[in-house]
Amino acid sequence: MKDWKDWDRLITVDQMEEATASLLETGAKVGADSWQQRVKNQTPHCGFGEAGTCCRICSMGPCRITKKAPRGICGCDVHGIVARNYLRFTAGGSATHSDHGRSIAHTLYLAKEGGSYQVKDPEKLKRIAKEWDIETEGKDIYDLAHEVALTGLMEYGKPFGVQRFTKRAPEHTQELWDKAGITPRAIDREVSQSMHMTHMGCSSLPEALIRQSLRAGLSDGWGGSMMGTELSDVLFGTPKPVDTEANIGVMEKDMVNIVVHGHDPSLSEMVVFYAQDPEMIALAKSYGAKGINVCGVCCTANEVAMRHGIPMAGNFLQQENVVLTGACEAIVVDVQCIFPALGPLSKCFHTKFVTTSPIARMPDSEYIEFHEETAAENAKAIVKMAVENFQNRNQDLVNIPQLKAKARVGYSVEAIKKCLDGVTNSHVDELGTLKPLADVVKAGVLRGAVAMVGCNNPKVRPDTAHIELMKKLLKNDIIVVVSGCSAQAAAKAGLMDMEAKEFCGEGLKRVCELVGIPPVLHMGSCVDISRMMVLAADLAKDWGCNISQIPLCGCAPEWMSEKAVSIGNYVVSTGIDTFLGVDPYSKGSEEVTELLQGETGIKQWVEANYTVELDIEKMGDMMIERIEQKRAALGI
């Protein structure tokens, strides 16, 4: 097995930081701000906030818990305060991802023949309809789409029942949820109840608050996020393997560069379409450009990469870098994870900072409100604005670091099954099977799998945790499935290059060669972590065991957002032990820490818990050890 340092295709964090440093030099010339400087201005961080021991949910405070003041003015102790804060964090994340899913369901409802949005995967639409007991026989595909969309939208506020997608989980998992009282009901109800429970004078019992945190998370992962993933596939096509490129070098010096950023693919799909319009390309050439280059940042990048092969310029903490190249005509954003700093930064260059959603209004932006009904008109106007802005570029400020890696992306659950089925020719199921994957894990060819997700966080050297953990796991014959900013970290480094198999353990290398896959599988954006839950559920069914027994771990080594806490809660609740590299603001309470990380809390409810480990090397060792423990328990 070769050493990673001998592989010239691998782009290191050092190289990425050198590229960023050169971009910051460009920024300094024009007086641009940067997150690196803002971090220095904000540190040290508030210790009460990091411990979760500050309460500001009423105006009698804010109250901060200390030895001198062990209770807030209302009498709530530190355990209640930390647990309330944790639940509110979860509710914010669940609301955000679920609202994304609602938007996609609304877009599907508006789909029509010849319209801006059409059904690209009718077979998946029919499968979802049958799953939801909706008659499909003899129906026009768009009548069916409207019915499925309306049924999906009703999941947000229905007065009775539980989330329809929870029936995809193994019966054992569903029984655990029911027994623990955490099966998610209407999505909006779980968010609303979470806010009600944390209002002044309501719940202060940690156990009750943590149970609701799991329930709110499940309403995201097995509700809103799954809605967003599944209905996006229906609308835009279910991803299948496609080759692309990643890192800042995907920006093109001689082309109009349009960067899409955010999370909702409804907008980016239309921007990609109109960037390929011959009329727009001809306009770009009339201004002296060779053409139009669309690339992405954050989860919008994942969405268009896995469906169209659009290159990925970077993840969360690289969003300012695309502007700092001086070659970005427009950065077009929808919702979530967008720095308000992009407004004043863009004004230091010629870049148009285009906001499109009433949910994400920001100063110093060009606001073009995007509506599904006028999608074509909105997208064409944005592309035209970017093209016309090419003439305003200051060539003296153009600096595009030449860092670029190959990546194969787009491994939906359906694509993974098809890859496996192509090797075994089993055709046991029309949609394929995960039994070959179970077999190679049982045989020890693969030791197990890690689902790595999450953001970047300045508290962790950006991308380092993702990349170093992946390298360690691959060397130990552990396959890695990724989404969100973790996926882009892998892609930027070259870990999704097919040749990365040369640096895996012998077992994983053989699997990659046999199946024709890279050792790190790109499963999509952060809402697509729901794909991982379906993958785990189907694997458990094919294996004939519980999800918690599979040699599988979840990991978010650089997480930073409320969404990540919601995600963590539904991953753990699904039965997957989850490792965090940033503390979830719970360390101020021994009771809450025990509930989340100990053996007597959520571990008893859902057969999995959290491990918080800030030392990345130790975290890798702990995940490998946990996987081996699960193998031993299964006798394999």
Side-chain angles (χ1 to χ4, degrees):
M1 183 177 65
K2 296 180 183 178
D3 194 287
W4 289 100
K5 65 185 179 183
D6 297 327
W7 190 37
D8 58 7
R9 287 188 181 86
L10 186 68
I11 296 174
T12 67
V13 172
D14 286 339
Q15 288 175 294
M16 289 189 243
E17 289 180 340
E18 287 172 12
T20 297
S22 74
L23 292 171
L24 292 175
E25 289 177 10
T26 303
K29 295 177 183 177
V30 293
D33 193 13
S34 70
W35 68 260
Q36 289 88 345
Q37 183 58 50
R38 295 192 296 273
V39 167
K40 291 179 182 178
N41 295 342
Q42 285 293 333
T43 50
H45 298 295
C46 171
F48 293 100
E50 286 193 320
T53 57
C54 175
C55 180
R56 51 175 298 276
I57 64 172
C58 79
S59 65
M60 293 191 293
C63 296
R64 300 184 304 179
I65 300 303
T66 64
K67 290 182 179 180
K68 181 181 177 181
R71 291 180 180 272
I73 291 169
C74 70
C76 188
D77 64 16
V78 69
H79 311 299
I81 287 172
V82 170
R84 281 193 310 214
N85 288 337
Y86 186 84
L87 175 52
R88 284 214 162 191
F89 222 70
T90 304
S94 181
T96 302
H97 262 169
S98 294
D99 215 29
H100 174 155
R102 190 195 325 256
S103 175
I104 297 299
H106 180 71
T107 303
L108 179 61
Y109 187 78
L110 296 173
K112 61 183 180 182
E113 186 70 45
S116 295
Y117 296 106
Q118 301 177 36
V119 171
K120 296 287 181 63
D121 192 339
E123 294 307 312
K124 186 158 193 175
L125 175 65
K126 292 174 185 177
R127 292 199 301 271
I128 294 171
K130 290 176 182 178
E131 184 180 353
W132 287 356
D133 298 321
I134 298 172
E135 181 57 53
T136 62
E137 194 66 33
K139 284 186 180 175
D140 174 83
I141 198 68
Y142 287 96
D143 289 339
L144 183 61
H146 300 159
E147 192 171 351
V148 167
L150 185 59
T151 303
L153 287 167
M154 292 300 293
E155 290 296 285
Y156 285 82
K158 62 184 184 183
F160 306 107
V162 300
Q163 284 299 293
R164 292 172 180 267
F165 279 134
T166 58
K167 302 306 177 187
R168 291 180 168 186
E171 288 186 11
H172 175 77
T173 305
Q174 295 180 52
E175 289 168 1
L176 289 176
W177 292 341
D178 288 342
K179 185 178 179 181
I182 60 173
T183 305
R185 301 158 295 184
I187 298 164
D188 290 347
R189 179 177 183 180
E190 300 306 353
V191 173
S192 179
Q193 182 165 311
S194 297
M195 298 306 291
H196 189 179
M197 285 181 72
T198 55
H199 189 275
M200 189 274 157
C202 289
S203 290
S204 56
L205 181 68
E207 180 182 322
L209 292 158
I210 297 303
R211 284 185 191 273
Q212 181 59 22
S213 296
L214 300 187
R215 197 171 206 174
L218 285 168
S219 75
D220 169 5
W222 292 85
S225 276
M226 202 166 285
M227 196 88 64
T229 293
E230 297 293 83
L231 301 188
S232 287
D233 286 354
V234 170
L235 275 167
F236 310 125
T238 300
K240 54 187 178 182
V242 60
D243 291 326
T244 187
E245 294 177 321
N247 220 316
I248 193 67
V250 302
M251 303 279 287
E252 296 284 355
K253 183 177 181 179
D254 299 322
M255 299 182 77
V256 173
N257 288 296
I258 301 175
V259 178
V260 290
H261 173 24
H263 288 75
D264 189 336
S266 299
L267 169 63
S268 55
E269 285 280 329
M270 297 305 296
V271 170
V272 169
F273 179 81
Y274 278 99
Q276 298 167 351
D277 184 346
E279 178 188 345
M280 291 294 103
I281 294 173
L283 183 62
K285 290 181 178 179
S286 74
Y287 282 106
K290 290 184 177 179
I292 302 172
N293 177 48
V294 178
C295 54
V297 167
C298 245
C299 279
T300 287
N302 285 312
E303 295 279 3
V304 292
M306 65 185 178
R307 293 192 174 93
H308 304 289
I310 297 297
M312 298 181 285
N315 45 6
F316 175 62
L317 285 180
Q318 280 73 56
Q319 61 185 276
E320 292 175 330
N321 287 12
V322 295
V323 178
L324 289 167
T325 63
C328 177
E329 274 59 61
I331 181 165
V332 186
V333 305
D334 44 72
V335 294
Q336 301 171 29
C337 299
I338 300 150
F339 278 178
L342 289 175
L345 175 62
S346 294
K347 287 189 174 299
C348 295
F349 295 85
H350 75 298
T351 305
K352 297 287 187 183
F353 174 43
V354 184
T355 53
T356 62
S357 172
I359 293 173
R361 294 296 306 272
M362 296 185 187
D364 298 315
S365 70
E366 304 271 351
Y367 184 56
I368 300 177
E369 188 165 322
F370 178 79
H371 294 281
E372 289 85 351
E373 297 89 338
T374 58
E377 177 186 330
N378 297 150
K380 192 169 184 177
I382 290 169
V383 173
K384 187 171 185 287
M385 176 192 291
V387 169
E388 292 175 341
N389 194 31
F390 181 77
Q391 63 187 326
N392 298 318
R393 183 190 290 186
N394 183 345
Q395 297 294 346
D396 292 337
L397 294 176
V398 174
N399 172 22
I400 303 175
Q402 294 305 298
L403 290 182
K404 190 162 57 174
K406 294 180 180 179
R408 183 163 292 180
V409 302
Y411 287 92
S412 59
V413 175
E414 292 88 341
I416 291 172
K417 288 183 177 181
K418 187 173 182 179
C419 288
L420 292 169
D421 197 49
V423 173
T424 61
N425 296 312
S426 58
H427 305 295
V428 174
D429 186 308
E430 62 175 338
L431 298 178
T433 176
L434 293 172
K435 287 182 179 178
L437 178 59
D439 289 342
V440 294
V441 175
K442 289 176 186 177
V445 178
L446 291 184
R447 305 307 293 174
V450 167
M452 197 174 299
V453 305
C455 332
N456 299 130
N457 191 319
K459 292 181 177 179
V460 181
R461 186 183 179 191
D463 292 333
T464 305
H466 295 297
I467 294 169
E468 293 305 316
L469 282 170
M470 288 179 203
K471 288 161 59 178
K472 186 182 187 79
L473 295 167
L474 301 184
K475 186 177 179 180
N476 284 274
D477 288 322
I478 295 171
I479 195 167
V480 182
V481 294
V482 290
S483 69
C485 286
S486 182
Q488 290 164 330
K492 289 189 303 174
L495 295 176
M496 289 178 183
D497 190 315
M498 296 293 287
E499 296 305 314
K501 68 180 185 294
E502 296 297 331
F503 302 88
C504 301
E506 288 303 314
L508 178 53
K509 179 183 177 182
R510 278 191 299 169
V511 170
C512 290
E513 290 173 339
L514 182 64
V515 185
I517 56 173
V520 177
L521 297 181
H522 178 285
M523 294 198 75
S525 64
C526 52
V527 294
D528 294 330
I529 297 168
S530 59
R531 295 191 202 276
M532 297 177 179
M533 301 307 97
V534 174
L535 184 68
D538 288 354
L539 183 57
K541 292 172 187 175
D542 284 345
W543 192 318
C545 66
N546 302 330
I547 292 176
S548 60
Q549 294 176 293
I550 300 171
L552 167 67
C553 293
C555 180
E558 301 181 28
W559 75 271
M560 65 86 200
S561 73
E562 291 173 319
K563 294 183 298 177
V565 175
S566 178
I567 291 165
N569 285 335
Y570 74 69
V571 172
V572 164
S573 297
T574 300
I576 302 171
D577 288 323
T578 300
F579 292 74
L580 305 177
V582 177
D583 191 89
Y585 293 172
S586 61
K587 62 185 178 185
S589 165
E590 299 90 344
E591 285 187 25
V592 173
T593 298
E594 176 59 28
L595 282 167
L596 296 174
Q597 302 179 43
E599 297 295 321
T600 60
I602 65 173
K603 182 81 169 181
Q604 292 187 344
W605 310 341
V606 296
E607 300 179 349
N609 63 1
Y610 287 105
T611 298
V612 178
E613 178 50 67
L614 309 190
D615 185 310
I616 299 305
E617 186 67 24
K618 289 181 181 177
M619 181 193 286
D621 291 337
M622 292 169 77
M623 286 194 290
I624 293 168
E625 182 182 1
R626 189 71 54 89
I627 284 170
E628 292 301 330
Q629 288 171 351
K630 290 177 180 287
R631 292 185 63 84
L634 286 168
I636 57 174

